[in-house]
Amino acid sequence: MRKALFYACIVMLAAFTGCSKEKKALISTNTADESKNSNVKTSTIDFIHPGTVLTKPQMQYAYAQAMANVEPYKTTFANFQSNYATFLSSSYAPHAHAQVGRNLYKSDYENDAMAMFVNGVMWNMTGQTQYADKVIQLLDAWASTCTSIQYPDNDWQLCNGYGLHFMIYGADMVYNYSGLTSTKKTNYKNLFKIFYNYYAAYAATYSKTAPFVVAGWPSWGSSAGKFIMAYGIFCESQTAYNLSLEYFNRTAANGADNGTNVTAFLSTGQPVEGGRDQYYTQLCLASFLEWAQMAYNQGDKSLYDARSGVIGKAMEYTAKYNLGNSVTWDPVTPATPIWQVTPPIAAISSSNRGNYRPIWYMAYNYYHRYRGLSMPYTEQVMASHVNEGATATITDEVGWGSLFYCNTSQTVVTPSYTW
């Protein structure tokens, strides 16, 4: 990717440098009807840990189901352990570097980040301390070694949003572990602050005053949004959490069908990135889902419910097309350029049609199992991918939804909107 994302900050660079003193964030709520395109609002909350993409009850529920030989948990859990056996081994060692970049030691930071995550999952599931200790060993190495991201670099944002963010996920998994001392916690916050501060530096360079994407596809911007939210949760930073909410407002929650490239989804559910490639469309959806799931885990449903559940509608639209059905495509003319695009985006792309990412259970778990909405096309995808796994680029998305996001015991809470 040759163009970079142009992000802005709603705070000065100095505001990005402190996260240890902030305890509460403003959780978003919709004061207007959920079906309307109103901005996500905020109210004060206490942060929950673990509370990025998974909570302890979610992980313990999945583990109990797997141990009871219930499918698809049993098989997916076995696959999860087998797939990440190297990361779960006591002999796995860190690969920390002083500087990393999108293509600088990429496999090293991705592998270590995922190792932090999967060991954190296993600790929450089993209570076995060797897993938590492995997360700490890896984080200690990175916190004492890494001092920068390769910058300026056109793809530095993707290093954060499709790689290093899993370090934050993993750190949050062991937030309450007795071996995570206050000193270590501060060290990890300082490490993540290094990554986070580049968003402010980049915004200052381009004189931006609010989160915005000038030349990027929605998958680029949404990766930043989920990184900033994860950072805000682990660091208990109100500033970062609110910045993430503001960015969501400008990309999904309050997007209008006006052809601007900050509108990731038209109100019909048509994903703008569908004009690029179907696998990238699902990458975009993966980031938005993780973003919404983190807010949900903090007690906030409004990201999932924004614009009448537009993320869920986009999932159904994408599933329908990738299953071989016809869909209606409304041409999109971005207000500002998108990388390698000559407007208008006149047709949906058939590139990678029928090639699925492991994102479907997460959406179905919220929109159908919790909200009771019909998702017939998503169900068809899930029927042919009963046991979700991971993609070749392991840090593109959480994956493993048939283990983590398959709560069949939920009570349906019907939303005010319908599809």
Side-chain angles (χ1 to χ4, degrees):
M1 299 177 182
R2 296 178 181 175
K3 292 281 187 179
L5 299 177
F6 291 175
Y7 294 106
C9 284
I10 56 174
V11 293
M12 299 297 290
L13 177 59
F16 274 69
T17 61
C19 68
S20 59
K21 294 183 179 179
E22 296 186 78
K23 177 65 179 175
K24 294 186 177 181
L26 298 178
I27 190 169
S28 61
T29 58
N30 275 329
T31 55
D33 189 284
E34 292 162 337
S35 65
K36 296 180 180 179
N37 292 0
S38 56
N39 282 342
V40 171
K41 305 298 182 182
T42 58
S43 59
T44 304
I45 64 160
D46 287 312
F47 286 104
I48 296 168
H49 306 284
T52 56
V53 289
L54 289 168
T55 64
K56 193 176 187 72
Q58 286 175 309
M59 289 179 275
Q60 291 186 330
Y61 174 85
Y63 183 66
Q65 297 295 97
M67 292 300 96
N69 296 322
V70 178
E71 296 290 4
Y73 312 91
K74 176 185 176 181
T75 298
T76 310
F77 184 54
N79 293 343
F80 178 80
Q81 291 176 290
S82 175
N83 192 72
Y84 296 132
T86 299
F87 297 159
L88 295 171
S89 170
S90 61
S91 63
Y92 184 81
H95 305 83
H97 298 281
Q99 185 181 67
V100 294
R102 176 60 173 169
N103 296 301
L104 179 64
Y105 302 118
K106 184 174 185 287
S107 62
D108 284 348
Y109 71 73
E110 287 180 346
N111 286 339
D112 279 11
M114 184 55 73
M116 295 174 197
F117 175 74
V118 299
N119 277 278
V121 167
M122 290 299 293
W123 178 67
N124 279 276
M125 284 182 164
T126 69
Q128 296 179 28
T129 58
Q130 71 264 29
Y131 296 120
D133 290 337
K134 179 60 67 176
V135 178
I136 297 219
Q137 176 196 6
L138 295 168
L139 282 166
D140 280 348
W142 280 90
S144 63
T145 305
C146 189
T147 59
S148 66
I149 294 176
Q150 196 173 46
Y151 179 88
D153 173 82
N154 284 342
D155 288 345
W156 70 266
Q157 297 95 338
L158 305 184
C159 175
N160 266 357
Y162 290 117
L164 296 173
H165 67 303
F166 266 92
M167 291 190 182
I168 305 179
Y169 291 173
D172 195 57
M173 293 288 182
V174 297
Y175 193 94
N176 298 314
Y177 177 50
S178 60
L180 181 55
T181 65
S182 59
T183 298
K184 289 181 182 292
K185 193 175 292 183
T186 297
N187 291 341
Y188 305 161
K189 289 179 179 181
N190 289 336
L191 170 67
F192 302 146
K193 191 188 303 178
I194 292 170
F195 308 151
Y196 176 68
N197 280 347
Y198 284 101
Y199 293 108
Y202 197 71
T205 297
Y206 291 95
S207 301
K208 299 298 175 183
T209 57
F212 194 68
V213 179
V214 173
W217 288 99
S219 61
W220 302 3
S222 56
S223 76
K226 71 180 179 184
F227 177 94
I228 294 170
M229 179 165 282
Y231 173 88
I233 291 169
F234 180 79
C235 284
E236 299 191 323
S237 168
Q238 175 178 323
T239 297
Y241 194 88
N242 290 346
L243 176 62
S244 180
L245 294 179
E246 171 65 17
Y247 194 83
F248 188 90
N249 279 334
R250 294 174 180 272
T251 55
N254 202 35
D257 295 0
N258 59 6
T260 64
N261 70 319
V262 293
T263 302
F265 315 108
L266 303 192
S267 62
T268 58
Q270 175 185 314
V272 172
E273 202 138 356
R276 178 189 186 191
D277 173 283
Q278 294 307 303
Y279 212 51
Y280 277 116
T281 298
Q282 293 171 67
L283 183 64
C284 170
L285 285 164
S287 288
F288 273 105
L289 285 166
E290 289 178 31
W291 200 350
Q293 184 66 38
M294 282 189 274
Y296 177 76
N297 288 342
Q298 294 299 319
D300 176 10
K301 301 184 289 291
S302 67
L303 276 67
Y304 265 130
D305 288 332
R307 296 177 66 202
S308 302
V310 72
I311 299 172
K313 289 194 289 184
M315 293 292 292
E316 276 292 278
Y317 181 104
T318 301
K320 181 179 181 179
Y321 179 70
N322 279 272
L323 287 164
N325 301 290
S326 298
V327 294
T328 299
W329 179 269
D330 293 325
V332 179
T333 300
T336 56
I338 293 181
W339 175 67
Q340 291 190 342
V341 171
T342 301
I345 306 173
I348 193 168
S349 171
S350 61
S351 178
N352 277 309
R353 188 179 190 182
N355 191 5
Y356 298 101
R357 288 181 179 271
I359 62 174
W360 303 92
Y361 274 86
M362 185 185 288
Y364 191 79
N365 195 53
Y366 182 83
Y367 289 109
H368 179 74
R369 290 203 171 98
Y370 177 65
R371 283 310 202 183
L373 297 165
S374 177
M375 301 188 77
Y377 298 108
T378 298
E379 287 176 350
Q380 290 180 52
V381 175
M382 291 167 59
S384 61
H385 298 78
V386 174
N387 294 290
E388 279 190 346
T391 50
T393 303
I394 56 176
T395 52
D396 271 358
E397 66 275 301
V398 173
W400 309 98
S402 47
L403 177 65
F404 297 138
Y405 306 106
C406 190
N407 189 342
T408 58
S409 67
Q410 297 181 83
T411 299
V412 173
V413 179
T414 304
S416 62
Y417 57 85
T418 58
W419 291 348

